[in-house]
């Protein structure tokens, strides 16, 4: 999962990808540290064509604010540049997989 710290690059990636998953967290969030590798593994194994992007909300508050992210962890999924799913705080991997499965199979 690549970290992007510039708002323009972040938006460009989202707008130029068929499907993008954004992971928002910060270094002092223990839940975020445990969840992030699991999300990466899920995407790499089952949804390899989804672009993955990471935003540290403490070092890139402009990106977090422009996406209305005020709590961590937050996962946003964009399809063709449009925010389609938003999951925050209590995120289950099964729920995330279920949400991505159908649009992924239609897009790829």
């Amino acid at each position: 999962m690549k970290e992007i710290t510039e708002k323009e690059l972040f938006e460009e990636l989202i707008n130029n990808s068929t499907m993008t998953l954004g992971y928002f967290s910060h270094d002092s969030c223990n839940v975020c540290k445990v969840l992030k590798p699991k999300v990466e593994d899920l995407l790499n194994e089952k949804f390899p064509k989804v672009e993955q992007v990471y935003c540290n909300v403490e070092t890139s508050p402009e990106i977090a604010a422009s996406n209305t992210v005020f709590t961590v962890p937050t996962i946003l999924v964009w399809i063709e540049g449009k925010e389609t799913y938003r999951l925050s705080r209590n995120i289950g991997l099964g729920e995330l997989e279920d949400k991505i499965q159908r649009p992924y199979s239609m897009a790829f």
Side-chain angles (χ1 to χ4, degrees), residues 47-65:
F47 310 109
K49 295 181 182 176
V50 173
E51 287 287 334
Q52 302 176 42
V53 63
Y54 170 74
C55 175
N56 184 321
V57 299
E58 291 178 336
T59 59
S60 302
E62 185 180 84
I63 294 172

Side-chain angles (χ1 to χ4, degrees), residues 5-40:
T5 57
E6 295 179 34
K7 184 180 174 208
E8 293 78 22
L9 292 175
F10 194 89
E11 291 173 354
E12 185 178 318
L13 176 72
I14 291 165
N15 291 324
N16 292 328
S17 300
T18 303
M19 187 178 282
T20 310
L21 180 137
Y23 189 87
F24 295 81
S25 71
H26 56 73
D27 294 335
S28 57
C29 172
N30 290 325
V31 172
C32 302
K33 290 177 189 175
V34 172
L35 184 62
K36 185 180 174 200
K38 292 180 180 182
V39 170
E40 287 176 308

Side-chain angles (χ1 to χ4, degrees), residues 68-87:
T68 321
V69 174
F70 301 109
T71 186
V72 293
T74 294
I75 293 175
L76 300 181
V77 178
W78 294 272
I79 299 174
E80 296 180 353
K82 182 179 177 188
E83 182 183 324
T84 307
Y85 298 113
R86 176 181 292 258
L87 302 151

